[in-house]
Amino acid sequence: MSVRAAVTRFPIDADAQEAAGLPWGLTVTPFASKDENGVGPAYGSNGHLLPRCEHCYAYFNSYCEVDQWAWNCSLCGTLNGLSSEAIARYSVPQSSPEMLSSFIDLELPLDGSEDEMTQAQPVYVAAIDLSSSEEFLELTKSALLAALEALSPGALFGLATFSHKIGLYDVQGPIPVVKNVFIPPDADRRLSLELEDVMPLLQFLAPVHTCKDRIAAALETLRPITSWERSAGAVQGLDGVLMGGRGFGTAMEALFNYLGSEYGNTFALARVFAFLSGPPDYGRGQLDSSRYGEQYASKRVDADRALLPEQTPFYKDLATIAVQSGVCVDLFAVTNEYTDLASLKFLSIESGGSLFLYSSTDDSTLPQDMFQMLSRPYAFNCVLRLRTSTEFKPGHSYGHFFPDPQYENVQHIICCDSYATYAYDFDFANNTGFSRHSGEQPVVQIAFQYTVMEQSNSEMVSSTRGKHTLKRRLRIRTMQFGTARNINELYDSVDSEVVLSLLVHKVILASLDQGVREGRALLHDWLVILTAQYNDAFKLVQYKNGNSMISQIDVSFSQCPQLQPLPRLVFALTRNPLLRFHEEGVHPDFRIYLQCLFSVLEPSSLHRAIYPELTSYSSPDKQAYPRHSLSRAALITSGSPIFFLDAYTTVIVLYSSTADPSLPFPPPQDCLLRKKIKKLKEERSITPKLMFIRGGQDDPTAFENYLLEEQDFNGIGFVSFLENVTQSVADYLK
């Protein structure tokens, strides 16, 4: 569990927080195997025996004071009695993880018999759009063949297709058999019969280790539905054009109900991989994709605001059905047409899944992303709870979870991998703040309860089923923070990457609520206020009139190194497609994809995605400079022949036009640069697209688009941005 705070020394009270102008909060990556310093938890068992505070329900931890019979809660100070079992256990402190470490991971007992625990198997279902192209299906087949290699032998796999009908595949016999059920074209009509009546679920779900070849054979039989089939199943539009054929909503609803019948019996979590090549336009949950064109053509409507909210609650409601059925949905959209991900995104993010968008089949990393996603461990049925000491409290929480309907500050996460990150900001509980004189420090405790599925080493139960064991665990991290005695100490404790994370969450919410323009305005105003507060705190502006005042304003935070990255990060964020305007050519689906991606990235990864890292090499085996600013001047002055740009989703190697022709291009597989690229790919939650560009021969536009500090088509570059901020600060200080 990695936890990073925006300031490692907390503001002493609400006045100090306001004067600083900084967001106050933290990010947490609960299923990360180690903390932010690379240290793992102390492991143990009997998590249900861990003492809890009678007043605030916090867990006993290594910061609590213990005497022979009782302990003081480190969060609220309550004196709690110890049971006789706990007294005996804590008489030998070395035997208890909670006495040895403030970061622990304890096993919990599971409800149900041992037999029920071992019968639960991992279940995976692929739902494939046949209202698509041959290229789309070839890419999907490649992705699923990669997925089959990553699945554990005891897993069950189901293959389904959808168009104007739903196809269910039985691959357990000698040849694949498909059974179809037609989807009613109307948006308010369900299927005429249950999928269980079309094919029994346990006939549909095939064991991977015995049926892998037959699943692959079934995939080879997939073909796009023909125009004749599409017209036979379609409905006629107002202008006589045949509409429809992609009954995605009806198919998903039917699949969730189908799988839900065996939730808690055959499986503890089912993952549905939904492959989509365009907008759902048939049956339940059909979407009006024409609204994109209408808004784009209209000058009277703010398209940046109109295209961000969902047009129907259908998919949000469907996510609730998925959760109740024990289903997590990963949505893979391979399309460059408007698909309205603003409506569809809830199906994946609220069920604990991921949303992927690929604009083309040509250079898509879909197969690699599938393999990566299924190769890494994940937890499910998770509960995340953050508690604080009494002087402050959690404010907003951010991330892909759903809040508990009954308890405050409790979040449920259906499926969580080791990359998924969540954020919280803090508020003071009263006007007093933290004591300046007492030795008590602010405390944060994060509890993460989760289930993992482990494949047993024992013999197979039968020829068709592997044996899996469910393990329920409780991971707890308790942290003490110092308080800043003055604003200098507060500024010196800033983590600019965490500040960026909190800002991104806030501007995404503002964009969804009030539009992209409002999100940009919020970001600009925040930087102006922070700069003004900093200049005021350091008393840098003496004369508050005319040009002499502007010349005194320090917009580069020269007296505070921890704040210095922030102007560049804020500028880069305003240049990111997340906050670019509709008329600048940003596709609304791409913006939604970025919102979903940025909402789960841990701070260092988000930094890369917002302000890419540019490194130079004197040869493929020797690094020249570790970091450059994203400007042409930096390229020219470095004099290096090779540049490596890491933008998280894209990685580019550029050989300059003046590079020695004897340098091998592309870089050899065993060189230092290639090793770095390989390591990056292994450590990423998604596979970055890799590009090699040879200056003077290849088009360098893809690389130059990342030189963010250059002027854009509005004539705004980083220098003019700082000038604008300076003027705004002067106006603010007046």
Side-chain angles (χ1 to χ4, degrees), residues 82-102:
L82 284 169
S83 67
S84 54
E85 292 89 349
I87 292 168
R89 193 163 70 249
Y90 296 150
S91 63
V92 187
Q94 291 75 14
S95 64
S96 304
E98 62 268 31
M99 295 284 278
L100 296 172
S101 175
S102 59

Side-chain angles (χ1 to χ4, degrees), residues 159-301:
L159 178 62
T161 58
F162 61 89
S163 52
H164 61 280
K165 58 189 176 182
I166 299 171
L168 301 178
Y169 281 75
D170 176 3
V171 297
Q172 297 188 61
I175 56 167
V177 175
V178 60
K179 293 188 176 179
N180 295 299
V181 55
F182 284 91
I183 295 172
D186 308 335
D188 55 356
R189 281 176 59 199
R190 288 181 164 83
L191 287 182
S192 56
L193 71 167
E194 297 292 330
L195 295 186
E196 182 68 32
D197 298 328
V198 179
M199 183 182 293
L201 182 61
L202 295 180
Q203 191 177 328
F204 171 70
L205 296 174
V208 169
H209 77 288
T210 56
C211 297
K212 189 184 287 188
D213 292 343
R214 276 170 281 181
I215 294 168
L219 289 172
E220 289 303 321
T221 67
L222 298 182
R223 297 286 180 274
I225 59 165
T226 63
S227 55
W228 181 86
E229 284 179 293
R230 191 186 292 254
S231 62
V235 292
Q236 193 156 306
L238 294 174
D239 54 0
V241 176
L242 289 165
M243 304 289 288
R246 191 176 289 112
F248 177 69
T250 307
M252 289 296 107
E253 186 177 46
L255 270 176
F256 300 160
N257 291 328
Y258 188 31
L259 292 164
S261 62
E262 285 294 316
Y263 176 39
N265 182 17
T266 298
F267 68 90
L269 175 78
R271 293 186 74 162
V272 170
F273 308 132
F275 298 92
L276 196 61
S277 70
D281 54 8
Y282 190 82
R284 290 172 62 74
Q286 56 187 273
L287 298 171
D288 175 17
S289 58
S290 68
R291 72 171 185 158
Y292 174 49
E294 288 167 4
Q295 300 297 348
Y296 189 70
S298 168
K299 299 297 179 188
R300 296 185 302 277
V301 178

Side-chain angles (χ1 to χ4, degrees), residues 524 527-528 531 546-547 549-556 567-568 571 709 711 714-732:
H524 180 269
L527 182 60
V528 167
T531 310
N547 293 331
M549 176 184 175
I550 287 180
S551 66
Q552 297 170 72
I553 292 171
D554 177 8
V555 288
S556 58
R568 266 194 170 84
F571 171 71
E709 298 190 17
Q711 290 186 1
N714 293 319
I716 302 293
F718 184 53
V719 174
S720 49
F721 170 79
L722 290 181
E723 289 169 355
N724 178 271
V725 171
T726 304
Q727 185 60 56
S728 299
V729 171
D731 295 340
Y732 181 86

Side-chain angles (χ1 to χ4, degrees), residues 26 386-388 392 426 442-446 477-479 481:
L26 54 75
L386 182 139
R387 292 181 175 88
T388 63
F392 68 117
F426 297 133
V443 178
V444 171
Q445 185 177 82
I446 301 164
R477 182 89 188 272
T478 310
M479 303 176 73
F481 291 90

Side-chain angles (χ1 to χ4, degrees), residues 402-674:
F402 63 94
D404 189 278
Q406 187 175 356
Y407 298 104
E408 238 185 334
N409 303 318
V410 176
Q411 281 81 33
H412 293 266
I413 304 164
I414 304 306
C415 187
C416 180
D417 66 20
S418 55
Y419 294 95
T421 300
Y422 308 89
Y424 297 86
D425 53 27
F426 297 133
D427 297 316
F428 279 97
N430 51 49
N431 295 327
T432 310
F434 302 113
S435 170
R436 293 176 184 272
H437 309 295
S438 116
E440 293 178 4
Q441 293 181 303
V443 178
V444 171
Q445 185 177 82
I446 301 164
F448 180 61
Q449 203 173 115
Y450 64 98
T451 302
V452 287
M453 190 178 296
E454 298 175 358
Q455 186 161 19
S456 304
N457 295 324
S458 56
E459 295 296 314
M460 290 292 181
V461 175
S462 70
S463 60
T464 58
R465 300 184 78 160
K467 189 169 182 177
H468 287 77
T469 307
L470 297 183
K471 294 275 178 70
R472 189 73 175 161
R473 302 194 69 89
L474 173 63
R475 183 173 290 184
I476 300 170
R477 182 89 188 272
T478 310
M479 303 176 73
Q480 275 190 344
F481 291 90
T483 53
R485 291 170 296 179
N486 52 54
I487 201 162
N488 296 46
E489 283 192 358
L490 191 62
Y491 283 159
D492 286 342
S493 74
V494 166
D495 183 332
S496 60
E497 290 184 335
V498 181
V499 170
L500 175 67
S501 290
L502 292 169
L503 288 175
V504 166
H505 282 296
K506 289 174 189 290
V507 297
I508 287 174
L509 282 183
S511 300
L512 289 170
D513 189 36
Q514 298 169 285
V516 174
R517 289 175 199 279
E518 188 58 36
R520 282 183 72 144
L522 174 82
L523 195 60
H524 180 269
D525 291 350
W526 174 81
L527 182 60
V528 167
I529 292 168
L530 173 69
T531 310
Q533 305 285 62
Y534 156 80
N535 277 270
D536 193 46
F538 284 85
K539 298 184 170 46
L540 300 174
V541 179
Q542 302 296 329
Y543 308 104
K544 297 194 175 180
N545 62 339
N547 293 331
S548 62
M549 176 184 175
I550 287 180
S551 66
Q552 297 170 72
I553 292 171
D554 177 8
V555 288
S556 58
F557 300 99
S558 59
Q559 297 196 27
C560 186
Q562 304 308 114
L563 297 178
Q564 286 171 13
L566 290 172
R568 266 194 170 84
L569 293 177
V570 169
F571 171 71
L573 185 51
T574 63
R575 296 286 289 264
N576 192 275
L578 185 76
L579 290 178
R580 294 279 284 273
F581 295 134
H582 195 63
E583 59 263 27
E584 294 177 48
V586 177
H587 197 290
D589 284 338
F590 184 57
R591 196 198 314 278
I592 294 292
Y593 163 70
L594 288 182
Q595 286 182 357
C596 295
L597 175 65
F598 290 177
S599 296
V600 296
L601 289 183
E602 55 84 31
S604 296
S605 298
L606 184 59
H607 184 178
R608 290 277 175 288
I610 300 293
Y611 192 93
E613 183 179 88
L614 181 61
T615 311
S616 60
Y617 285 76
S618 52
S619 76
D621 266 313
K622 187 177 181 185
Q623 188 183 91
Y625 297 100
R627 183 163 298 201
H628 298 276
S629 62
L630 298 174
S631 65
R632 285 194 177 87
L635 302 185
I636 296 165
T637 55
S638 82
S640 299
I642 302 171
F643 294 92
F644 174 69
L645 185 132
D646 176 11
Y648 193 76
T649 55
T650 305
V651 168
I652 302 176
V653 176
L654 172 79
Y655 279 48
S656 77
S657 55
T658 57
D660 186 338
S662 66
L663 286 173
F665 178 89
Q669 291 295 339
D670 59 347
C671 72
L672 178 68
L673 185 50
R674 284 280 194 176

